[in-house]
Amino acid sequence: MRFGVLGPLQVRSPTGEELSVGGPRPRALLVLLLLDAGRVVGLRRLIDGLYGDDPPAAAANAVQAQVSRLRRSLPAEVIEFHGTGYRLAADPDDVDAHRFERLAREGRRLLAEGRHAVAAGPLREALGLWRGPALADLPHGRARAARLEELRLTATEDLAEAESALPGGGSVAELQRLVTAHPLRERLRGQLMLALRAAGRQAEALAVFEETRRLLAEEFGADPSPELAAIHLAVLRAERPAPPRRGLAAQLTSFVGRERELERIGALHGSRLITITGPGGTGKTRLAIEAAGRGRREVCFVDLSPLDGSASPAGPRPSGGHVPPGGGGDRVARAVLGALGLREPGFHPPRPADLTEHLVAALAGQELLLVLDNCEHVNDDAATLARRLLGECPGLTVLATGREPLGITGETLVPLAPLETPPPDSSPSEALACPAVRLFADRAAAVRPGFEVRPANVETVVRICATLDGLPLAIELAAARLRSFTVEEIATRLAEHGRFRLLSRGDPTAAARHRTLRAVVEWSWDLLAPDEQVLARRFSVFAGDASLEAVEAVCEVEDAAGLLADLVDRSLVETDGDRYRMLDTIRLFCAERLAEAGEEDRMRGGHARHLLDLAGRADPHLRRAGQLRWLARLSAEHADLTAALRWAARSDRETGLRLVAALAAYWWLGGRRGDAGEAAAELLDATGRPLAGLEEEYVMCVAHAVPRALPEHWERAGEIMRSRDRPLRYPFVQALWGMSAGPPETAPPPGPETDRLFGSDPWGLALAGLGRALLRMLGGDPAGGERELAEVLARFRALGERWGTAQGLDWLALAAGWRGEAEAFASAYARGAAMRREEVLAEFAEPVEPRY
């Protein structure tokens, strides 16, 4: 079958018969599937593409209904369901948009090789596929349509360049039509000037330049590009222009932040290879342009993003900084030649070695800063060429940008992290001291004049910047939405609809990978090797940072350490040397890929069970001398413990109940008991009654669900505690229930009854003693209770357990206060308070005014 989206939707059978697809929604759905022909398109992306910012309440069902309607118009086997999305079983080359892009790339490659006559063929064929505006049947696909229209215009310019070298040259009338339609395209104006000159119409060619100069000055306050100026000079001299070196393009926005990085680059005088690395959207290109523009050297800027990276697959390079000789590099070398304004050597198709030798000869003895921008998809080729040029051209310095290092000897890295965001409670002046907020304010004022960060909106602006991880591109895209929304509406839509959906419209003239937040992350994702994609999507189950041990236990991949190192190199994962984390923006994208792969439940189940195992191992240590160390270890996993509990409360109740019980001491001792309340209440609602063998876990849920637990849950939990006849599996249940429901009316004396209820656990026996002592103190025997308290305090101290020790000291202080012994009260209370501060037991660390 053949499909057309470069104009109204067109579907043809294998015999050429045109098939009708009725209804706007089924047609839009088919266009979405065609844009990713042969690949699964996730349900979330289909909903966004069909309904934009206003999906129906049952969007998934609505999409399913549209798929059913579409299937009635096409052969049954064409649309496949794959777990969380749909796939159109078609070769991408059977879709005109994909075929157009392939032919346009081929034409541009041939044009770069100087084979103008050959290049004209595929370019004409590519442009001949267009029948009208792109994606006419996809109302919510403006960004993707704009990308295709930009590619169409670029291919038109390429064809004009190819035809200008053929006998008869280019068509002046056609170029005039194109310039009228696209007055700010300097390349088209340059081609028109050359065509006019070739036709003997020099005065008209000069008039075109003057018109361009005036237009640029009025619209942007800018001068014509060096390329157009060179054509103008050539027309004046009646000679064929030699293309100038491609310098730094004038920037249309102010430069905000990155002062430290600029200063560092400026201080690297002895480094001849500097690579700016970081995730997509952090501003690597802008920083490189700013740094290069502040230097005194002549600059040649080479944008490598248009190059096809298919021959440079992601994967580890040889260690030791050695780049394999030969084999590749021709694409990068051609791009550098073009930026330098040099022609390729000879008349035969050149070999990569010929191109590199030509560059070496041209750059030998020159003082030049060569900026290689966007190296990530041709990293090996760029590294090979950079090493050769630096080795043989001593006056050359290379400033590279990419999402990973070039990985060769002598490279100095400048990692680019997201912009700093301020704390939530910052004042306007404090917030504006952080570059993320300054960037938002600057770009917001550009689209909404008069916008300022004020007390009334500072909290919302800070929240937006923090939600977007401080990523400059994301912040700029969000600020641009102020044309349509208020700051508060942007923050609400980010929370309700997600960042990828809200930030789906950008500058249509920007590179495709920088027009939307999704495109930025997708570019990095597509450069990963298959095994790296597997780990990246599975790593997304971690809500916070993770240890290598946790990644190995949860993600089910071979050589997790090696793959993690690769993801760190590719700026998908960050590390402090011990633990690993993803930016939320990247994590959310990878989580979508996890769902599309049908692995989400398995991975999240494994994640929850791994954390349950950790909590189970930690629990006994929280009642011993290792309490502080294990509290710190659990605290490092706090975000993941909370996420695992929330997932288990919905999807695996038994694991959820066990997590509540195993983490009870951690939550209470760390003052975080509220973190479990919502999940505990949800588990109670789902289970209704105690599950067999999980009675203690049920009691823990009731205690944590205060005040959400219904009276019947309290009655059942109380009955469980009153009727128990064996030691507790979770000894902290006794303390937690006492703090929640109040102390028991009686406590068994030391002996067989206590042994039966508390076993041989020394902490449980000390807790039983604490209960007896308190009942005596409050029951009319303060002296006897105080004596028993002293014994309890000795037991907790022998264990090295700080909470119990602090409890004993507090009650001894109270007993001293009852006797009027102010000095003894203050001493005991101060020791208990110091114990709590050391423990960082926030629940019990609030100071209390001494009262007698």
Side-chain angles (χ1 to χ4, degrees):
M1 297 183 67
R2 292 278 181 169
F3 303 89
V5 296
L6 301 179
L9 177 66
Q10 187 178 76
V11 182
R12 293 191 179 277
S13 70
T15 60
E17 176 187 0
E18 186 163 352
L19 304 180
S20 175
V21 177
R25 286 271 159 73
R27 293 171 70 85
L29 174 63
L30 180 55
V31 172
L32 286 169
L33 295 173
L34 287 169
L35 289 173
D36 286 281
R39 296 192 296 181
V40 176
V41 183
L43 188 59
R44 181 75 265 166
R45 292 174 63 189
L46 292 175
I47 292 171
D48 291 346
L50 284 173
Y51 303 104
D53 293 337
D54 190 27
N61 292 336
V63 170
Q64 188 176 11
Q66 300 303 335
V67 170
S68 298
R69 291 182 62 190
L70 181 56
R71 279 175 168 156
R72 290 196 288 269
S73 303
L74 301 173
E77 69 278 3
V78 171
I79 299 178
E80 303 171 350
F81 177 66
H82 289 267
T84 58
Y86 294 89
R87 171 181 178 269
L88 189 83
D91 187 325
D93 215 47
D94 291 334
V95 182
D96 59 1
H98 298 296
R99 194 158 66 256
F100 161 73
E101 290 196 48
R102 177 181 61 78
L103 290 167
R105 281 196 305 270
E106 176 68 9
R108 169 157 279 207
R109 182 184 66 80
L110 292 167
L111 195 63
E113 294 174 359
R115 301 163 66 183
H116 294 73
V118 183
L123 289 169
R124 288 193 191 103
E125 184 181 351
L127 292 168
L129 295 171
W130 285 75
R131 296 170 290 105
L135 313 185
D137 293 273
L138 189 62
H140 298 292
R142 280 176 287 186
R144 302 181 83 167
R147 171 183 172 274
L148 287 167
E149 295 287 356
E150 173 66 18
L151 291 174
R152 180 188 191 181
L153 191 51
T154 301
T156 302
E157 293 172 333
D158 288 343
L159 179 59
E161 182 175 333
E163 290 179 337
S164 69
L166 301 179
S171 167
V172 170
E174 176 62 13
L175 285 168
Q176 286 174 329
R177 185 190 67 79
L178 289 170
V179 166
T180 300
H182 308 282
L184 297 177
R185 302 286 290 203
E186 290 188 73
R187 187 182 178 196
L188 282 174
R189 287 183 173 269
Q191 291 170 340
L192 175 58
M193 290 171 65
L194 290 173
L196 287 168
R197 191 202 63 177
R201 299 157 65 177
Q202 184 178 12
E204 292 179 62
L206 295 174
V208 170
F209 180 81
E210 286 304 315
E211 180 191 4
T212 306
R213 184 187 59 76
R214 184 173 60 255
L215 182 63
L216 291 174
E218 291 174 355
E219 293 287 333
F220 303 114
D223 294 325
S225 66
E227 290 84 356
L228 195 62
I231 293 173
H232 175 239
L233 184 61
V235 172
L236 284 172
R237 294 175 176 174
E239 63 185 26
R240 186 171 184 83
R245 289 178 178 174
R246 191 172 300 143
L248 300 173
Q251 300 302 295
L252 303 181
T253 57
S254 59
F255 184 75
V256 178
R258 303 301 188 197
E259 288 82 6
R260 286 194 301 267
E261 290 86 352
L262 266 177
E263 186 177 338
R264 180 165 183 239
I265 293 172
L268 295 173
H269 302 299
S271 298
R272 296 183 57 219
L273 173 59
I274 302 169
T275 303
I276 303 172
T277 63
T282 49
K284 299 182 292 295
T285 298
R286 186 63 188 272
L287 176 61
I289 290 173
E290 195 72 17
R294 296 188 181 189
R296 297 183 178 181
R297 288 188 170 205
E298 185 179 359
V299 178
C300 178
F301 184 87
V302 188
D303 181 10
L304 301 179
S305 62
L307 303 186
D308 180 7
S310 59
S312 185
R317 288 184 297 280
S319 61
H322 297 294
V323 180
D330 55 326
R331 297 164 300 164
V332 177
R334 282 195 176 92
V336 176
L337 279 170
L340 288 168
L342 300 175
R343 291 182 177 274
E344 295 179 12
F347 297 98
H348 58 84
R351 299 169 299 165
D354 298 332
L355 299 176
T356 304
E357 291 293 343
H358 190 37
L359 280 172
V360 169
L363 296 176
Q366 293 199 35
E367 295 287 328
L368 180 71
L369 172 61
L370 182 65
V371 180
L372 299 178
D373 190 40
N374 296 300
C375 295
E376 56 266 4
H377 61 306
V378 287
N379 216 58
D380 290 352
D381 293 352
T384 301
L385 182 65
R387 181 184 174 188
R388 177 74 187 281
L389 294 179
L390 289 168
E392 301 196 29
C393 305
L396 181 69
T397 298
V398 174
L399 176 60
T401 75
R403 304 189 188 186
E404 60 181 301
L406 293 181
I408 60 179
T409 302
E411 181 180 27
T412 300
L413 299 181
V414 180
L416 210 56
L419 294 174
E420 180 186 357
T421 57
D425 56 352
S426 298
S427 67
S429 59
E430 292 169 337
L432 286 167
C434 289
V437 174
R438 287 206 308 276
L439 179 65
F440 184 92
D442 182 86
R443 302 305 190 252
V447 299
R448 180 169 285 189
F451 176 87
E452 292 181 355
V453 177
R454 298 188 175 98
N457 64 19
V458 61
E459 186 274 334
T460 307
V461 171
V462 168
R463 179 153 39 96
I464 289 171
C465 294
T467 298
L468 298 175
D469 296 315
L471 283 172
L473 177 65
I475 291 171
E476 291 183 325
L477 291 172
R481 297 311 301 268
L482 280 172
R483 287 191 293 262
S484 308
F485 303 114
T486 66
V487 172
E488 291 73 18
E489 287 171 337
I490 289 174
T492 300
R493 286 173 176 268
L494 279 173
E496 294 179 355
H497 303 304
R499 63 198 73 189
F500 294 122
R501 192 163 166 191
L502 180 68
L503 308 182
S504 60
R505 298 175 187 172
D507 181 355
T509 67
R513 69 187 184 285
H514 280 164
R515 287 182 193 156
T516 70
L517 186 59
R518 180 181 296 280
V520 169
V521 186
E522 202 160 32
W523 171 266
S524 295
W525 173 266
D526 288 342
L527 295 176
L528 297 180
D531 53 350
E532 293 168 347
Q533 289 183 346
V534 170
L535 179 57
R537 68 178 183 244
R538 293 178 180 178
F539 188 94
S540 68
V541 299
F542 291 100
D545 51 21
S547 65
L548 175 60
E549 174 193 7
V551 175
E552 290 175 331
V554 172
C555 293
E556 301 177 8
V557 296
E558 294 183 6
D559 189 22
L563 289 174
L564 269 177
D566 290 339
L567 293 179
V568 169
D569 278 348
R570 286 150 173 66
S571 301
L572 269 293
V573 170
E574 299 174 341
T575 182
D576 60 5
D578 294 319
R579 298 179 68 82
Y580 300 85
R581 68 179 289 267
M582 273 181 172
L583 293 177
D584 278 349
T585 298
I586 296 173
R587 182 176 59 80
L588 290 171
F589 179 89
C590 292
E592 290 180 0
R593 307 288 81 73
L594 183 72
E596 288 177 1
E599 297 176 341
E600 184 172 15
D601 284 344
R602 188 173 99 249
M603 287 296 110
R604 294 201 181 280
H607 174 253
R609 288 187 291 274
H610 167 74
L611 290 164
L612 176 59
D613 177 71
L614 173 64
R617 286 186 283 127
D619 180 59
H621 295 284
L622 298 181
R623 302 186 299 278
R624 301 291 187 272
Q627 192 177 57
L628 289 179
R629 180 168 61 86
W630 281 91
L631 277 173
R633 183 167 180 185
L634 290 175
S635 183
E637 311 289 349
H638 182 74
D640 281 282
L641 291 168
T642 305
L645 177 60
R646 287 173 181 161
W647 175 84
R650 298 188 303 268
S651 305
D652 186 347
R653 295 168 190 164
E654 181 174 335
T655 298
L657 289 165
R658 294 184 187 279
L659 274 169
V660 170
L663 291 168
Y666 162 67
W667 278 317
W668 279 70
L669 298 182
R672 289 165 160 159
R673 61 184 178 186
D675 290 5
E678 185 176 339
E682 191 173 345
L683 283 165
L684 289 177
D685 291 341
T687 56
R689 293 178 172 275
L691 300 181
L694 299 177
E695 290 80 8
E696 291 180 36
E697 287 82 353
Y698 175 82
V699 172
M700 291 286 205
C701 276
V702 173
H704 279 93
V706 177
R708 304 173 184 87
L710 297 174
E712 53 264 33
H713 289 304
W714 277 100
E715 293 171 7
R716 293 191 194 104
E719 178 58 29
I720 290 171
M721 294 303 293
R722 288 189 297 271
S723 62
R724 71 183 185 90
D725 58 358
R726 62 177 62 87
L728 295 164
R729 290 178 288 110
Y730 299 99
F732 198 74
V733 169
Q734 189 70 43
L736 178 54
W737 186 250
M739 289 184 286
S740 301
E745 296 179 2
T746 61
E753 180 67 8
T754 298
D755 293 342
R756 181 174 65 83
L757 294 178
F758 293 94
S760 58
D761 176 53
W763 187 87
L765 293 172
L767 183 67
L770 177 63
R772 286 193 302 271
L774 298 185
L775 287 175
R776 291 182 70 176
M777 286 185 67
L778 300 173
D781 184 12
E786 190 171 356
R787 286 194 300 274
E788 193 153 4
L789 266 178
E791 296 176 6
V792 167
L793 182 59
R795 289 188 179 188
F796 282 126
R797 279 176 166 163
L799 289 170
E801 200 279 295
R802 291 161 178 78
W803 176 80
T805 301
Q807 293 294 302
L809 287 169
D810 283 351
W811 282 99
L812 285 175
L814 185 60
W818 288 344
R819 296 194 303 271
E821 299 175 2
E823 186 175 341
F825 170 89
S827 174
Y829 186 82
R831 282 179 288 156
M835 186 73 67
R836 290 190 296 273
R837 284 194 296 271
E838 179 190 18
E839 179 80 42
V840 199
L841 302 180
E843 182 68 17
F844 311 99
E846 292 299 321
V848 178
E849 186 71 23
R851 297 185 184 277
Y852 303 103

